[in-house]
Amino acid sequence: MCMLAIESSCDEFSIAIVTEQKTVLFHETYSQIATHQQFGGVFPEIASREHVKQFGYLLEKAKAFIHKYQISALAVTIGPGLSGSLLIGIQIAKTLALYYDLPLIPVHHILGHIYSIENESTIIYPCMSLVISGGHTELILLKSADDVEYLGRTQDDAVGEVYDKIAKKLELGYPGGPILDRLAEQGQPTFHFTKPKLKNKLDFSFSGYKSAAMNHIYKLLPMTEEDICNLATSFQRAIVHDLEQKMCEALEMYDVKSVVLCGGVSANRDVRKMFQRLKKKYPDKKMFHPIPELCGDNALMIAQAAKHYKAIRDKDILLSLDCKPNLSIKEFLSEYN
Ligand code: KG4
Ligand code: ZN
C-alpha cells in the first residue's frame, strides 16, 4: 500500500511515492530556478506553463513505480501558493484519482513543511513550529494534527522574500537566500539593523530590514565585494537574532514537547547554528529539523503530512476541488477535515 503525492505550489514540480512504513520508493523534483533567474524571482505565469511542460516527464518516470506497487491513495497541495501552479498539480491528482478510482488527500502547504521532519522522526505534541520560507514566516502551535493555532506571523514580507529582494537589488541572482548565506560567511557585521517593535511580540516584520539594507546599498554604490559580504553578514546576523529571540519568547510562553524548524530558509547555516543553540538551551524538548534537501518545496513532505488528514472519496466533491491560493490552516482544517 503506497501513497503518491504531488507538490506544485510555486516553482517546483515534485512527485513522491511512499509506503506506509515510510520507505521512499520514488521522489523527484523539477526546479525552475534556471528559468526564473532572469526575472530575479518567480514569474507566476511562466511557473505554471513550465509545470505543464515538465509534469509529463516526471509522471512518466514515476509510472514504473505506479504499476509495480499498489497505490492506495493520492495527495496534493491544495494551497496556499500560486493559483496557476497549484491548479496543475490538483488537475493531475484529480485525473489520477478518477482514472484509478483512488481517494485524494488535499494538503496544506505549510503543514507539509512542518511534517517534512516525519520522513525520519515523529512529531510529539504539543509542538511549536517556526516556518520560514519565501512566502511565509509563521510561528505555529500544534496541539495535535487537527488542533493548530497561529501564534505569530509576518506583518509584511516573508524572511526568504527579503533575502531574494536584497540579492536582486545587488544583482546576485535568484534565489537570493543561498547566495547571501554563502557571502555572509566571508564578511564582518559592520552594518546596523534595528529590530522592529510589534504589538504582538510573537509577530514578525522584515520590511524594515529590507529598507535598511536598500539604504545601505544606495549609500555605498558602487559596492566592493567586501561591502557586499559585510552587508550579507550584518543582515543575516540581525535576522537570525530576531528569529532566535521570537522562538525563545514563544518557548517561554508555551510549554511544548517538541519544536520544528522548517521551510526553505531553515537551510541557512546561521539559522541552523541558532537551532543548535536552542537545543542546548531547551534539553527537555525534542528539536526537529528537516535534512537540507527537504527544507525547500518537495512532494515527500506532502506525503508525510497527508497521513494525518482526511481523504476525499466522493466523486462530486473531488470534481469540484479547486486551488486555494490564500488558504489558512484554520480554513484547511475546517473545510477538509
Ligand atoms: O520553502 P521554499 O522552497 O519555498 C516557499 O514555500 O517559499 O523557500 C524558498 C525560499 C527562498 O526565498 C530562498 O531564497 C530561501 O528559501 N532560502 C534561503 C536559503 N536557502 C533557501 N534563505 C536563506 N538562506 C538559505 N541558505
Ligand atoms: Zn514552501
Side-chain angles (χ1 to χ4, degrees), residues 6 29 55 92 112 167 169 195 208 213 336:
I6 298 174
T29 305
F55 87 82
I92 297 162
K169 188 80 211 160
K195 191 168 178 275
Y336 301 100

mmCIF file of all heavy atoms in Angstrom, residues 6 29 55 92 112 167 169 195 208 213 336:
data_model
loop_
_atom_site.group_PDB
_atom_site.id
_atom_site.type_symbol
_atom_site.label_atom_id
_atom_site.label_comp_id
_atom_site.label_asym_id
_atom_site.label_seq_id
_atom_site.Cartn_x
_atom_site.Cartn_y
_atom_site.Cartn_z
ATOM 1 N N ILE A 6 1.811 14.869 -4.805
ATOM 2 C CA ILE A 6 2.246 15.883 -5.781
ATOM 3 C C ILE A 6 2.337 17.242 -5.094
ATOM 4 O O ILE A 6 1.436 17.627 -4.340
ATOM 5 C CB ILE A 6 1.236 15.975 -6.956
ATOM 6 C CG1 ILE A 6 1.150 14.635 -7.704
ATOM 7 C CG2 ILE A 6 1.616 17.097 -7.923
ATOM 8 C CD1 ILE A 6 0.070 14.584 -8.782
ATOM 9 N N THR A 29 12.098 16.014 -7.972
ATOM 10 C CA THR A 29 11.601 17.389 -8.027
ATOM 11 C C THR A 29 12.249 18.110 -9.200
ATOM 12 O O THR A 29 13.475 18.070 -9.338
ATOM 13 C CB THR A 29 11.961 18.126 -6.711
ATOM 14 O OG1 THR A 29 11.444 17.360 -5.619
ATOM 15 C CG2 THR A 29 11.386 19.531 -6.672
ATOM 16 N N PHE A 55 5.569 18.178 -16.123
ATOM 17 C CA PHE A 55 4.983 17.114 -15.285
ATOM 18 C C PHE A 55 4.939 15.770 -15.996
ATOM 19 O O PHE A 55 5.096 14.726 -15.383
ATOM 20 C CB PHE A 55 3.606 17.510 -14.743
ATOM 21 C CG PHE A 55 2.447 17.201 -15.660
ATOM 22 C CD1 PHE A 55 1.898 15.920 -15.702
ATOM 23 C CD2 PHE A 55 1.901 18.177 -16.465
ATOM 24 C CE1 PHE A 55 0.835 15.630 -16.548
ATOM 25 C CE2 PHE A 55 0.845 17.896 -17.310
ATOM 26 C CZ PHE A 55 0.312 16.620 -17.361
ATOM 27 N N ILE A 92 -3.813 17.204 -12.128
ATOM 28 C CA ILE A 92 -3.188 15.883 -12.357
ATOM 29 C C ILE A 92 -3.681 14.894 -11.293
ATOM 30 O O ILE A 92 -4.050 13.757 -11.604
ATOM 31 C CB ILE A 92 -1.648 16.000 -12.318
ATOM 32 C CG1 ILE A 92 -1.177 16.906 -13.456
ATOM 33 C CG2 ILE A 92 -0.986 14.636 -12.406
ATOM 34 C CD1 ILE A 92 0.240 17.434 -13.264
ATOM 35 N N GLY A 112 2.629 20.759 5.257
ATOM 36 C CA GLY A 112 3.594 19.915 4.545
ATOM 37 C C GLY A 112 5.012 20.213 5.026
ATOM 38 O O GLY A 112 5.757 19.293 5.391
ATOM 39 N N ALA A 167 19.101 40.351 -2.742
ATOM 40 C CA ALA A 167 20.002 39.747 -3.743
ATOM 41 C C ALA A 167 19.686 40.289 -5.138
ATOM 42 O O ALA A 167 20.593 40.511 -5.951
ATOM 43 C CB ALA A 167 19.874 38.231 -3.717
ATOM 44 N N LYS A 169 18.456 43.288 -5.826
ATOM 45 C CA LYS A 169 18.996 44.652 -5.879
ATOM 46 C C LYS A 169 20.503 44.626 -6.144
ATOM 47 O O LYS A 169 21.030 45.462 -6.874
ATOM 48 C CB LYS A 169 18.706 45.343 -4.531
ATOM 49 C CG LYS A 169 19.016 46.785 -4.499
ATOM 50 C CD LYS A 169 17.916 47.601 -5.148
ATOM 51 C CE LYS A 169 18.460 48.837 -5.785
ATOM 52 N NZ LYS A 169 17.550 49.389 -6.799
ATOM 53 N N LYS A 195 15.919 46.344 15.216
ATOM 54 C CA LYS A 195 14.853 45.342 15.375
ATOM 55 C C LYS A 195 13.503 46.069 15.447
ATOM 56 O O LYS A 195 13.367 47.037 16.189
ATOM 57 C CB LYS A 195 15.118 44.558 16.668
ATOM 58 C CG LYS A 195 14.262 43.337 16.821
ATOM 59 C CD LYS A 195 14.800 42.469 17.966
ATOM 60 C CE LYS A 195 13.920 41.266 18.152
ATOM 61 N NZ LYS A 195 12.767 41.515 18.997
ATOM 62 N N GLY A 208 11.373 46.446 7.390
ATOM 63 C CA GLY A 208 12.337 47.410 7.931
ATOM 64 C C GLY A 208 13.767 46.967 7.643
ATOM 65 O O GLY A 208 14.628 47.777 7.272
ATOM 66 N N ALA A 213 18.602 47.613 4.449
ATOM 67 C CA ALA A 213 19.604 47.041 3.526
ATOM 68 C C ALA A 213 19.667 47.864 2.241
ATOM 69 O O ALA A 213 20.757 48.184 1.755
ATOM 70 C CB ALA A 213 19.250 45.586 3.213
ATOM 71 N N TYR A 336 -11.616 20.713 5.084
ATOM 72 C CA TYR A 336 -11.234 19.419 4.511
ATOM 73 C C TYR A 336 -11.058 18.313 5.556
ATOM 74 O O TYR A 336 -10.709 17.199 5.205
ATOM 75 C CB TYR A 336 -9.931 19.559 3.709
ATOM 76 C CG TYR A 336 -10.046 20.555 2.592
ATOM 77 C CD1 TYR A 336 -9.545 21.851 2.745
ATOM 78 C CD2 TYR A 336 -10.683 20.242 1.408
ATOM 79 C CE1 TYR A 336 -9.661 22.783 1.728
ATOM 80 C CE2 TYR A 336 -10.814 21.152 0.387
ATOM 81 C CZ TYR A 336 -10.301 22.438 0.557
ATOM 82 O OH TYR A 336 -10.429 23.345 -0.439
#
